[in-house]
Amino acid sequence: MTDQTGVIVAEGTTGPEAAETVGQAQSLTQEAWRELRRNPLFVISLILITVFIVMAIFPSLFTNADPNKAILKLSNSAPSKDAWFGRDLQGYDVLARTVYGARASIIVGIMTTLVTGFLGVLIGTIAAYYGGILDTLVMRLTDIFFAIPFLLGGILFMSTFPNDVNSSYWSVVGKVVLALSILGWPSIARLMRGAVLQVKPNDYVQAARALGASPWRIIRSHILPNAMAPVMVVSMINLGAYIAAEASLSFLGIGLVPPAISWGVAISDSLNLIRTAPWILIFPSIFLSLAVLAFIMLGDAVRDAFDPKGR
Amino acid sequence: MPEVILKATDLVKHYPIKGGILRRTVGHVKAVDGVSFELLKGETLGVVGESGCGKSTLGRLLMRLEEPTSGSVEFEGRDMHKQSSSDMRRMRRDIQIVFQDPYTSLNPRKTVGDIIGEPFEIHPDAVPKGGRRRAVQELLEKVGLNPEHINRFPHQFSGGQRQRIGIARGIALNPKVLICDEPVSALDVSVQAQVVNLMEKLQNELGLSYVFIAHDLSVVRHISDRVAVMYLGKIAELGEEDEVYDRPTHPYTQALLSAVPVPDPTLRGKREQIVLTGDVPSPANPPAGCRFHTRCWRAQDLCKTEVPPLEPRPDGVGAHLSACHFAEVRAIIETARADNSGLIFDKGISDPAAPSDSVDSGAPVGAGAERTSLATADIADAGVDALRAGPIDHQVADQAQTVIRESDTPRA
């Protein structure tokens, strides 16, 4: 209620622009979108994310070099006209390796977010909507998962199902996604449960019940649209965290393993040469940081737009 | 005698209080504790009482939004709480609800068309698919809203307009009974009158029966044919509107009515006020015997042990239902009489169809406000008291410290 009046007041103060928007149908989502477009953080993060996603899909747009072409005689050579980011110990082009490494990070980030989001929303909604013993069981289960430290759990999972050189790219990526998802869904489920519990007692849900709507209909058209905002925001922020977690696991040698190309693997390989050839470390690190930062900034901006109290 | 459409028999709803680590039930909140009444076809039954007396729980039980602890609700002779889910769905077409708070009763992410059209989607046989948009627009027109606003969202409407949307959703399926759970309590006084007028108009057009739950005594008197007064989960008094308002026999009703502000300034201070001592007892541990005996100036030993049945007791002219061992008429000096408040209501602040409470019509706010304020000026002056006559929730509690009694009232 306060947020809606707040929105109207905010519109009224924007001058001539307001006059033409009053009277048009505007959903809360549309108003949040208007708010977002004016947020520089949002624009910057969106541009960064777009670049990274394009990089993941079409890496050849960003470099002509072959990431798997090792020129040993140029091992550890400094950045030059031929190889802008220099070359690593194997003589690989660091620019090409970094650009091609985006794919693994983006895939792991997006897939993990989708899987945790789906599981968390499903389980959290069911627990909150039906309540009772089901709710108690699910929440105690999430407690158990919360007791396992994220990285430690990931290490445990990955070392239980180790990769070898013959593992296909997708099975390696799939394993990392699975490990992160198993540890990531409980936080989303809890968040979703809380949001559903908040929406459920609203009179419009009762009104739908009074009309004879089925539970599925109530959940789909009344509860989910009103309870999804916090999960969407946290998922976006988590996406950045999953990318960082993937890099951490790869850095430890148990996430993605060569021949898969990944920022984490590259950072791991660079450590021994940190003094002699720092470019091997710096460029993948910058890309990794930018990617994580972009998703966290996006999540922040979206949260601000959907949460009127922060305005 | 018109037929009974809705009948509640010994309706009881107890909510368990859970305590301790093991969440054991340590007690019950007796929200509704043995309520029986009949609603006749085409009539309006007002239900009044303080906050927490179980009015809203009663409404939810009548809608089967809650399952009763015991007792039954019969709709057209069929026990509602024994229906299978598919029969219940069908029955819901005939009994609908309007909620109190127009800000939480409409889904903020749906357009008005979606909200009012939802009943048709849940009951697809009500209106053929192609005609739904048309049907929604007709409903909008019927409740005095612009049919072109079908694609707007709830936050673009004012409180009064939102309540009209809620009413449109309630009547979409052409129900026979509409449960109104404090439908005007959250609205401005001037808008209250418009919405009440709208509800009366709809009742005449559609032959609806209303259960009108409210705490505003004057609004209830204006709209109701019969009135039930509730106290701590039980009905204290039930009768025709003039029986309850002019010849109340239950001390609680008398106290409530005496707290209604007098609209005529010359009469102010001249009438006697009954101010109750103490607070409403907790519904988790209601007093034995008559629920009201702890605060009643007429209570005697019998009241502490024996629950007074709700039965016809003489009121001077005839007899109506009252749950007091010592029921006796007592003249309550002029409250908001029906003709007083009626004057205000019927003259109308403005035509209820006119969108005078719109804030988003695109016109400059100043002009619209001026028009409305001119129209409402008289009411603001003369009628606010009458309309607002019964915010009994606060009144009784605030004045509870002092006792003013008639000298001849027997003391317990």
Side-chain angles (χ1 to χ4, degrees), chain A residues 24 210-212 217 222 226, chain B residues 89 92 107 118 121 123 156:
Chain A
Q24 285 172 13
L211 285 167
R217 183 187 181 85
H222 294 287
N226 287 291
Chain B
R89 265 168 78 95
R92 288 193 185 283
N107 187 339
E118 186 169 30
E121 280 180 36
H123 302 275
Q156 295 174 300

Side-chain angles (χ1 to χ4, degrees), chain A residues 116-143 146 185-201 223-224 226-231, chain B residues 23:
Chain A
T116 53
F118 177 77
L119 282 179
V121 166
L122 184 75
I123 294 171
T125 306
I126 290 175
Y129 189 80
Y130 290 100
I133 186 81
L134 187 71
D135 186 29
T136 313
L137 284 178
V138 169
M139 284 307 110
R140 293 298 81 76
L141 188 67
T142 61
D143 283 345
F146 272 125
W185 72 266
S187 66
I188 301 286
R190 287 219 143 182
L191 194 68
M192 194 62 198
R193 173 181 176 268
V196 171
L197 284 180
Q198 215 171 20
V199 171
K200 201 179 143 195
I223 290 185
L224 282 187
N226 287 291
M228 280 302 283
V231 164
Chain B
R23 316 288 300 151

Side-chain angles (χ1 to χ4, degrees), chain B residues 124-355:
Chain B
D125 45 333
V127 174
K129 203 159 176 140
R132 283 186 196 155
R133 196 178 161 83
R134 183 73 226 125
V136 169
Q137 286 178 326
E138 275 166 19
L139 280 165
L140 280 172
E141 222 157 340
K142 210 179 265 180
V143 298
L145 292 171
N146 186 345
E148 285 166 18
H149 291 179
I150 188 166
N151 287 329
R152 291 197 179 181
F153 288 88
H155 66 275
Q156 295 174 300
F157 291 91
S158 69
Q161 291 174 318
R162 284 162 163 246
Q163 199 57 291
R164 288 166 193 264
I165 297 168
I167 292 171
R169 175 178 58 192
I171 62 170
L173 294 170
N174 239 330
K176 295 173 181 159
V177 175
L178 198 59
I179 313 278
C180 311
D181 185 0
E182 309 218 16
V184 296
S185 304
L187 305 178
D188 280 354
V189 179
S190 57
V191 182
Q192 282 189 0
Q194 298 174 4
V195 171
V196 168
N197 283 339
L198 168 68
M199 296 186 71
E200 291 196 318
K201 185 189 103 182
L202 291 172
Q203 183 167 38
N204 293 337
E205 284 175 11
L206 308 170
L208 290 164
S209 310
Y210 287 144
V211 174
F212 194 94
I213 300 168
H215 58 239
D216 190 323
L217 291 170
S218 305
V219 170
V220 167
R221 175 166 208 182
H222 176 73
I223 197 169
S224 302
D225 301 310
R226 289 191 304 142
V227 176
V229 180
M230 279 186 78
Y231 183 75
L232 268 181
K234 279 187 182 298
I235 293 183
E237 189 159 0
L238 198 165
E240 302 286 327
E241 164 254 317
D242 52 342
E243 288 172 341
V244 171
Y245 279 80
D246 294 340
R247 303 187 294 280
T249 62
H250 196 287
Y252 179 62
T253 316
Q254 293 164 357
L256 276 190
L257 289 174
S258 83
V260 175
V262 187
D264 182 351
T266 61
L267 282 176
R268 244 169 233 168
K270 291 192 179 159
R271 63 151 182 188
E272 164 232 0
Q273 268 196 353
I274 307 166
V275 180
L276 298 172
T277 45
D279 289 325
V280 183
S282 159
N285 185 21
C290 174
R291 294 264 162 114
F292 189 55
H293 81 78
T294 51
R295 303 170 75 196
C296 180
W297 65 95
R298 296 167 59 93
Q300 300 184 16
D301 287 342
L302 176 66
C303 303
K304 293 176 187 162
T305 52
E306 198 100 348
V307 179
L310 184 69
E311 56 184 30
R313 298 176 198 260
D315 60 10
V317 178
H320 66 271
L321 298 175
S322 175
C324 177
H325 291 301
F326 306 102
E328 193 178 72
V329 186
R330 167 185 174 126
I332 297 293
I333 305 190
E334 285 314 288
T335 58
R337 282 197 57 93
D339 48 347
N340 278 356
S341 51
L343 185 86
I344 289 139
F345 277 109
D346 296 340
K347 255 189 180 170
I349 287 157
S350 57
D351 181 1

Side-chain angles (χ1 to χ4, degrees), chain A residues 1 4 8 23-27 29 31 203-204 206-207 209-213 217 221-222 225-226, chain B residues 60 63 65 89 92 96 99 104-110 118 121-123 151-153 155-156 162 169:
Chain A
M1 178 172 148
Q4 286 136 12
I8 289 160
Q24 285 172 13
Q26 277 224 325
S27 73
T29 323
E31 298 199 357
D203 282 343
Y204 54 81
Q206 301 300 330
R209 276 183 65 203
L211 285 167
R217 183 187 181 85
S221 70
H222 294 287
N226 287 291
Chain B
R60 297 165 61 87
M63 280 305 299
L65 289 173
R89 265 168 78 95
R92 288 193 185 283
Q96 272 303 315
F99 287 97
T104 64
S105 64
L106 307 177
N107 187 339
R109 304 205 177 267
K110 299 257 172 193
E118 186 169 30
E121 280 180 36
I122 296 169
H123 302 275
N151 287 329
R152 291 197 179 181
F153 288 88
H155 66 275
Q156 295 174 300
R162 284 162 163 246
R169 175 178 58 192

